[in-house]
């Protein structure tokens, strides 16, 4: 390689280097911003996770401390006064509170607790609301007019409702209490023939049918044709 060629190559290399430095000076800030954004985003995500974990732990501790009280009355008071960092956990508090009130013999208060929760928390998931309403109706007993209980249960027992079969079971119990034995047996038979019936519910329905003098129906067996 001649001196001229070597000189030209060195000059070209210097030109490329100068252009690279110029581009870095012009656009290098973009890379810096991108790195800062990535690092900052990761740090914020970790902060958010830590905050959620802290809130969940504080909420759990508040509920556990309330349940650790030595008698039912103290547990009821502690649950009512507990400060929950996670508002969504209030559904758990209300379930626990109603259970303690029922255990204390005050089923009317337990039912009212769940009804108040339903009225105050419309944003709660439907399944939680359904469970709370069914439990409230089961606890209400004579403190709620039979006609009102029946109306609310009939709505829950409509096809497609998540707790339809359990609501039908409660309606059958109301039928029994009102002396409508045939209606109760018919309702219980329909529960047995429902494909979604659970083992526990099937057993309870069958036992009640027998107690009422009926014979539990079963799904017809499928015959296999040779």
């Amino acid at each position: 390689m001649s001196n001229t060629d070597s000189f030209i190559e060195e000059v070209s290399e210097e030109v490329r280097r100068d252009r690279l430095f110029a581009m870095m000076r012009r656009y290098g800030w973009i890379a810096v911003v991108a790195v800062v954004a990535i690092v900052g985003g990761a740090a914020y995500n970790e902060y958010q996770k830590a905050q959620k974990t802290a809130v969940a732990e504080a909420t759990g501790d508040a509920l556990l401390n309330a349940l650790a009280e030595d008698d039912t009355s103290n547990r009821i008071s502690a649950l009512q006064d507990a400060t929950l960092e996670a508002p969504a956990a209030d559904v758990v508090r209300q379930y626990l509170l109603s259970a303690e009130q029922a255990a204390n013999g005050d089923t009317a208060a337990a039912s009212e607790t769940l009804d108040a929760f339903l009225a105050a928390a419309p944003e709660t998931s439907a399944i939680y609301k359904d469970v709370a309403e069914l439990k409230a109706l089961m606890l209400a007993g004579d403190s709620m007019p039979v006609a009102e209980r029946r109306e609310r249960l009939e709505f829950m027992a409509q096809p497609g409702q998540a707790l339809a079969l359990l609501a039908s079971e409660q309606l059958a119990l109301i039928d029994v209490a009102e002396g409508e034995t045939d209606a109760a047996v018919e309702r219980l038979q329909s529960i047995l023939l429902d494909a979604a019936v659970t083992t526990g519910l099937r057993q309870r329905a069958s036992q009640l049918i027998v107690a009422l003098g009926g014979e539990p129906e079963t799904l017809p067996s499928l015959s296999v044709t040779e």
Side-chain angles (χ1 to χ4, degrees):
M1 180 182 296
S2 64
N3 290 335
T4 302
D5 292 338
S6 178
F7 175 75
I8 293 174
E9 184 176 347
E10 290 180 6
V11 171
S12 298
E13 182 66 26
E14 287 295 330
V15 170
R16 285 194 295 270
R17 187 180 295 110
D18 289 342
R19 288 178 178 175
L20 177 61
F21 289 154
M23 290 182 64
M24 290 180 63
R25 285 194 295 270
R26 185 174 182 180
Y27 301 109
W29 64 273
I30 296 178
V32 173
V33 170
V35 171
V36 171
I38 292 172
V39 174
Y44 180 74
N45 285 337
E46 289 301 318
Y47 171 77
Q48 289 287 86
K49 291 179 182 178
Q51 287 291 98
K52 290 179 180 179
T53 299
V55 166
E57 290 177 349
T59 299
D61 288 343
L63 292 174
L64 290 174
N65 290 337
L67 294 175
E69 293 291 335
D70 55 359
D71 62 55
T72 305
S73 297
N74 289 341
R75 287 194 292 273
I76 291 173
S77 298
L79 284 168
Q80 290 172 330
D81 298 336
T83 300
L84 303 184
E85 298 292 337
D90 193 52
V91 61
V92 179
R93 183 228 298 268
Q94 300 305 326
Y95 284 157
L96 294 172
L97 177 58
S98 67
E100 292 295 337
Q101 289 170 327
N104 202 35
D106 195 349
T107 54
S111 179
E112 291 172 2
T113 292
L114 293 171
D115 275 336
F117 162 70
L118 289 170
E123 73 284 353
T124 303
S125 298
I127 185 61
Y128 294 131
K129 293 171 66 177
D130 288 345
V131 171
E133 180 162 16
L134 181 61
K135 186 175 180 181
L137 294 172
M138 292 171 64
L139 290 169
D142 296 335
S143 66
M144 180 183 295
V146 175
E148 181 182 349
R149 287 177 61 208
R150 184 181 288 276
E151 181 181 1
R152 290 171 63 176
L153 285 167
E154 284 177 347
F155 177 80
M156 297 187 70
Q158 293 178 3
Q161 295 291 332
L163 304 180
L165 295 182
L166 292 174
S168 293
E169 179 187 23
Q170 293 303 310
L171 284 168
L173 294 176
I174 293 177
D175 291 336
V176 172
E178 295 187 327
E180 300 178 9
T181 304
D182 292 341
V185 171
E186 182 179 355
R187 200 183 297 275
L188 293 167
Q189 298 286 20
S190 67
I191 292 175
L192 291 180
L193 298 177
D194 195 294
V197 66
T198 62
T199 301
L201 180 53
R202 181 185 291 109
Q203 290 176 347
R204 294 198 304 273
S206 297
Q207 290 170 357
L208 185 52
I209 290 172
V210 172
L212 294 174
E215 182 176 347
E217 294 184 14
T218 57
L219 291 172
S221 59
L222 299 177
S223 59
V224 179
T225 304
E226 296 292 342

